[in-house]
Structures are given as C-alpha cells and as structure tokens.
Amino acid sequence: VIPVPCRAGTFAFGSRNAECELCRAGTYQNGTGASNCLPCGSGSFCPIGASLELPAACEPGTYGNVTDGDGLPDCFDCPAGSSCPGGAAPPTQCAAGTVAPAERMKTCDSCAAGTYQDGTGATRCRDCVAGHYCTEGASAPLPCPHPLGTGRGSVTCSVCKREFYLLNSSANPADIFDNPTKHCKRCPKYADCSARGTTLQTLGVPPGLWRASSLTTELHACVASDHCSGSGGAADVSRRRLTASGSDNRVVGDVIVGEGCNAGHTGPRCEWCRSESQYFDRVQRGCVDCPSAGVRFANLVGIVLAAAATGALFYLALTRVAIFGRAGARAAHRLSHMKVKVGFQPKVKVLVSFYQIAATLGPVYGVRLHEDFTRWTDFIDAISFDLLGLTYPDACIGSMRDRLLLAALWPVLLVLLGGAALAFHALAVWSLMGRDLVRSTKSRLLYWAILVAYLVLPSVSRSIFKARMCESFGISVFDATARRSYLVADLDVLCSADDDEYRGLDAYFWTMFALWPVLAPLTFLALLLSIRSEVRAQRSSSLARACRFLWRDY
C-alpha cells in the first residue's frame, strides 16, 4: 500500500495510521502530510478541520482571544486605557494626549482643552498646571507667554501674572494671547497687583491712597485725611449728585463712585463730607459736626468786642498817662519815643505785605511751597483778618456763591459799622459840647476805611481767587486728556461748564475781583497821587492826614 499524505486541515500523528484526523477546533493546518496541527492565533477563528486562520468577528470595543475547545473565538471587553477597533485586532494602548477612561472603548478620547496627559495607556487627563495652557489633545502643558499667567486647568492665557494688570478687561482673549505686552502692564507704583488676574478696575489701592476713578492708575496720597480706605475709585462724587442718585455707591458714566473712602467721607482724597451738617477739619483729619450758628455768632461778637476793647484800653492808657502830672508826661514821652523807635506800624505793614504775597502764591499762581518753608510761615494765617473763617467753617456756610459774597462783603459791613460808631461819637460830642465834628469825622472815617481795606485785602483777595482755583485729576488711562477738576474751596463743585454752580460763579467772581484786587489798590494809588504835592511839601491837609496810614512811614 502506498502511503497517502494528509491533506490540509488534517494530521496523522505517529505511524501505522489508517487515516488522517481533522484538526481540532482552535487549531489549523495549512500544509499537507502534517503530523500535528498549529494553534490558532489570538483573535482568529479556527473551526474543526481548519486549514487556515479565519479573522474573528468581535465587535468594536472588544477583541478576540485564543479559541476554546469548540473552535469559536471568545471576544473580551477592551480594557480601560486601551482602544479596540473590533475584529481580530488586539487592544492598543492610548497614546499621550488621549485616554480611555472606561472599558469597551473602540477609540481613545483626546484630552479636553485645559487638560493634558503625558503618559500612555492612561485612563484620565490631568489638569493643566498654573502658569501654563493646554489645548485639546495636549501631551504636555505649554508655558504662557510673558507677562501672561493662568490658574489650573486653563485653556488659554488671558490674564496677567502677578505684579501686572490687565489694561482692558473686555479685550478679546485671543488678542490678549497674541499681544500680551499690549494688554498687560506693569503694576503702578504703590498699587497692589499681588493677585493673579488683576485688572485696571480691580487694581489694589492701599489705605492712605486714593484714585480719581476705576480707569486710572494715578494714585494720590491722602495727606490731610485719615479716611482713605483704598481699593476704589471715587471720581464723580458730590453731595448734590449723591442726593440725586439716592445711593452712596453707583456707576456714573464709566466709573465707579462712592468707593475708596470710609463712611461719611467722599471727594478727592476723601476730604469732603457726605453730610451737609459736617465739614472736613484738617486738624482732626476727618469730618466733624458743624458748630451751631449761635456758638459761632457768639465767637464772632467776642472777637470784635475783644479787639474794640483792646484798642479802647490802649487809647485810654495813653491819654490817662498824659494827665498824671510831670511823671505822667515823662511816661507818655517815653511811650511815644518807643513807638517811634520800634516802628510798630511799618513792621505791621511789612508783615501784611509778606502775607499778601505768600497767600496768593497758591490760589493765584498755583505754586506749592515746600513744607519746610510753610511749616514756619503757618503763623501768618493768624493775622489774616479773615473774621469769617475764624468764626465759622466755610463748608458749613452754604454754597460757594454764598461764601464768596460773605468773604467779599463783610469788610464793607465792618467799615459801615465803624462809620456808624464815628457818627454816633460826633453826634454825642455836638449834643454835649456844641462842637461840629463833621470834617474830622469824615477824615476819621476815611482813615478807618483805608486801615480796614489794607489789612483785609490779602485775605479777601485770597478768598476770591479760591473761587477759580481748581485741582485736576486724570480719570482714564485710555485718554490722556480725560481729566476731572474740582474747585479746591468747595470739592462739591466740578470745574466744568456742565456744573451749574460753577458756571454761576463767573459773574460773582469778576464783580468781586474788580472790587477788591483791582479797585482797592487803584483807590490807594489815586489817594496817594491826590496828596502827593502836600506830602512832598510837608504840608498838612485833612485828606493827607486821613491817608497818613499809606504814606507816613515812608
């Protein structure tokens, strides 16, 4: 008998075999004359008598493993961290930037924007680290371009890192990323940008500093006020505007108002009071209650009476010394000699003239003297002869218009009161002694008017010029010309044509300006020119005697 080789799919093990056997399920033989069968590969299908490996029919998300005894392949769930497209393909580990968080996944998912995965076969993505950004499918965090920064899990870099602030919080994030130095600016001096993501509006302002709006980087030191709370912009703040809005914190235009000052305080550097019954006291460095009108009126009357009594006592002392015989005459002579030798009147004139110059440097010329100089010149304010300011705070009087009128007209009232006193004296002398004092009373009245006008001219002129003295503050970094000005004498008034009260001050200012800083000195000049010949010739006339305060010391 001639041996017959086994066909494909069969085998004959050993010798003396009468026939070939079929390959068992799970094995195959693709050759002839084989003595055994080959095991079916993983993921393949090999039925009984298989002559080749057939592809498994596993669905996506599963994979075929070695066949069991029946020759049919087993499909297993794809493990987490891998993907299985189905069929006979084995599981494939997820690449970096992708994950398979669950079993039976046919494909790996890309890491979402804001996350990353730098390993393979991962089941979850990691949050993007601070200071970096992660796009979709990122295999590693990417550092933010300078000076941008981010927190954890950021998709892009659209905030500024610490010590920088974002200029425009409404800017397009893509544009911020593409042009970081255009949008992120270094923190201004004294400001606080320690928090990541600081913007111009949220700029940290330390206590003791103040800024005019939430859109400016100009920080101003609160030199006179202890009530600057910081971290706010209080640009357009006023009693009238707050009353109209009905709130202490509102948005007026594009700036936040009512912030940056402690309760009860507002305005530039927090030097204005919200309540009309209070005024800002620089000594107390805050708002205090206005004194009652009765108390201040009593102070005014007391000052006037004290000055009048002092003058009367001095006059009586001199006249009574002279009637005490020879000793009194010698004492009167010594007093007169001392007066001439010391020269009180010239020194008073020099002091008043110096005060007139020093007092107008700020209101008129806007000059700020160094504090080392003003520290020892502050005593000059004591001789300002501003009875109104000495008796009642300006802010408690009323509107700026009322203050301007009172400041300019109270000296006129004082001259009229002095004239009434002189007229009453002349009338009393005429009724008791029959002497006509009309001419001498006129001369004394002129002397009194010159004396009052000379002494109060600096303080009155200063009060008048304050009605035009404004302080300006920048309110927007986007527009260098955008500024808001406040009237220094009344921080409730904006120096703007849009402010009704400021616009209404024009007529009052120019009238008082013509009356005092212009007309008063010109009147002195006219009087001196009219008596020039008598003074040069040393001839005495009633007009020259009445004007002696102006020329006698020269």
Side-chain angles (χ1 to χ4, degrees):
V1 178
I2 300 174
V4 178
C6 293
R7 58 179 178 81
T10 63
F11 73 98
F13 180 74
S15 59
R16 301 176 65 85
N17 292 306
E19 59 183 10
C20 296
E21 296 181 19
L22 294 174
C23 289
R24 297 187 302 273
T27 62
Y28 76 98
Q29 181 54 256
N30 57 358
T32 60
S35 61
N36 60 358
C37 293
L38 302 175
C40 195
S42 175
S44 297
F45 171 54
C46 298
I48 298 175
S51 61
L52 51 83
E53 294 179 291
L54 301 176
C58 293
E59 63 182 10
T62 64
Y63 68 98
N65 206 339
V66 292
T67 58
D68 53 17
D70 61 3
L72 296 176
D74 288 333
C75 294
F76 294 89
D77 291 341
C78 196
S82 299
S83 63
C84 297
T92 304
Q93 281 192 334
C94 295
T98 62
V99 292
E103 297 178 344
R104 296 180 62 86
M105 293 193 66
K106 60 182 179 180
T107 58
C108 295
D109 294 336
S110 296
C111 287
T115 62
Y116 76 101
Q117 179 52 256
D118 55 355
T120 59
T123 59
R124 60 181 297 272
C125 298
R126 303 176 182 178
D127 288 338
C128 201
V129 297
H132 296 69
Y133 70 100
C134 298
T135 58
E136 183 179 0
S139 60
L142 299 174
C144 292
H146 179 78
L148 296 177
T150 63
R152 291 181 60 87
S154 295
V155 176
T156 185
C157 302
S158 58
V159 298
C160 301
K161 65 194 303 184
R162 291 180 176 90
E163 303 308 323
F164 289 83
Y165 71 94
L166 182 61
L167 190 62
N168 185 1
S169 58
S170 62
N172 190 321
D175 190 51
I176 296 175
F177 183 84
D178 294 337
N179 304 280
T181 57
K182 171 186 174 183
H183 293 278
C184 289
K185 303 298 180 181
R186 186 166 292 277
C187 196
K189 188 177 181 180
Y190 304 123
D192 182 10
C193 302
S194 58
R196 182 176 55 244
T198 298
T199 66
L200 177 61
Q201 288 85 349
T202 62
L203 196 68
V205 181
L209 297 176
W210 175 89
R211 63 173 176 163
S213 86
S214 57
L215 297 181
T216 181
T217 58
E218 295 181 10
L219 303 183
H220 305 273
C222 299
V223 179
S225 176
D226 289 336
H227 296 275
C228 294
S229 59
S231 294
D236 189 9
V237 182
S238 126
R239 289 177 185 163
R240 290 176 288 121
R241 282 176 284 277
L242 287 173
T243 301
S245 67
S247 172
D248 285 352
N249 295 282
R250 289 220 169 203
V251 177
V252 178
D254 55 356
V255 296
I256 302 174
V257 305
E259 296 182 349
C261 299
N262 292 334
H265 297 73
T266 185
R269 301 189 186 92
C270 304
E271 295 178 10
W272 196 249
C273 305
R274 292 186 184 275
S275 174
E276 294 185 358
S277 61
Q278 290 185 321
Y279 72 100
F280 186 83
D281 190 338
R282 289 183 172 269
V283 177
Q284 300 292 331
R285 301 179 62 82
C287 292
V288 297
D289 293 335
C290 290
S292 62
V295 172
R296 284 299 177 172
F297 181 75
N299 291 341
L300 175 61
V301 173
I303 292 175
V304 173
L305 292 179
T310 301
L313 290 175
F314 185 73
Y315 175 76
L316 290 175
L318 290 178
T319 55
R320 287 190 177 277
V321 166
I323 65 174
F324 287 155
R326 185 175 298 178
R330 285 197 300 269
H333 177 72
R334 289 176 182 176
L335 288 174
S336 178
H337 179 69
M338 183 184 299
K339 175 185 174 183
V340 174
K341 186 176 182 180
V342 175
F344 290 107
Q345 183 170 298
K347 290 178 174 54
V348 171
K349 285 184 177 181
V350 171
L351 190 60
V352 172
S353 298
F354 177 77
Y355 170 75
Q356 184 173 10
I357 296 172
T360 55
L361 286 177
V364 180
Y365 302 105
V367 177
R368 289 183 177 269
L369 300 177
H370 195 274
E371 62 177 3
D372 291 339
F373 176 79
T374 57
R375 188 180 296 116
W376 64 268
T377 57
D378 288 341
F379 76 95
I380 298 177
D381 288 335
I383 60 164
S384 65
F385 300 102
D386 185 6
L387 294 184
L388 191 63
L390 291 174
T391 57
Y392 207 74
D394 289 344
C396 298
I397 293 175
S399 66
M400 187 61 198
R401 187 182 310 173
D402 298 335
R403 286 180 245 167
L404 184 60
L405 286 173
L406 288 174
L409 296 180
W410 76 261
V412 178
L413 179 60
L414 185 61
V415 171
L416 295 178
L417 290 176
L422 291 174
F424 179 77
H425 175 264
L427 181 61
V429 171
W430 175 78
S431 61
L432 295 176
M433 304 177 61
R435 294 172 55 188
D436 186 3
L437 299 179
V438 174
R439 184 180 296 273
S440 62
T441 300
K442 290 181 179 179
S443 178
R444 291 174 181 175
L445 178 58
L446 180 57
Y447 181 87
W448 169 248
I450 292 174
L451 178 63
V452 170
Y454 186 89
L455 295 178
V456 304
L457 180 60
S459 61
V460 173
S461 299
R462 182 183 183 183
S463 299
I464 293 173
F465 283 117
K466 281 183 177 179
R468 304 297 288 185
M469 182 182 179
C470 299
E471 187 172 10
S472 178
F473 299 92
I475 60 173
S476 176
V477 296
F478 304 106
D479 184 1
T481 62
R483 305 188 67 83
R484 180 171 281 110
S485 298
Y486 298 85
L487 193 64
V488 174
D490 189 342
L491 298 177
D492 204 34
V493 178
L494 289 176
C495 297
S496 169
D498 297 331
D499 193 293
D500 296 336
E501 186 167 350
Y502 181 76
R503 190 171 59 250
L505 289 174
D506 284 345
Y508 292 89
F509 168 78
W510 289 113
T511 301
M512 302 308 168
F513 174 80
L515 179 64
W516 283 101
V518 176
L519 187 58
L522 288 179
T523 302
F524 293 158
L525 177 62
L527 290 172
L528 290 174
L529 290 176
S530 64
I531 61 173
R532 178 174 55 178
S533 58
E534 286 89 345
V535 173
R536 285 182 173 179
Q538 296 184 353
R539 295 196 308 267
S540 177
S541 65
S542 59
L543 182 59
R545 288 193 299 271
C547 300
R548 64 186 181 276
F549 181 80
L550 298 175
W551 60 266
R552 187 173 182 178
D553 301 307
Y554 308 106

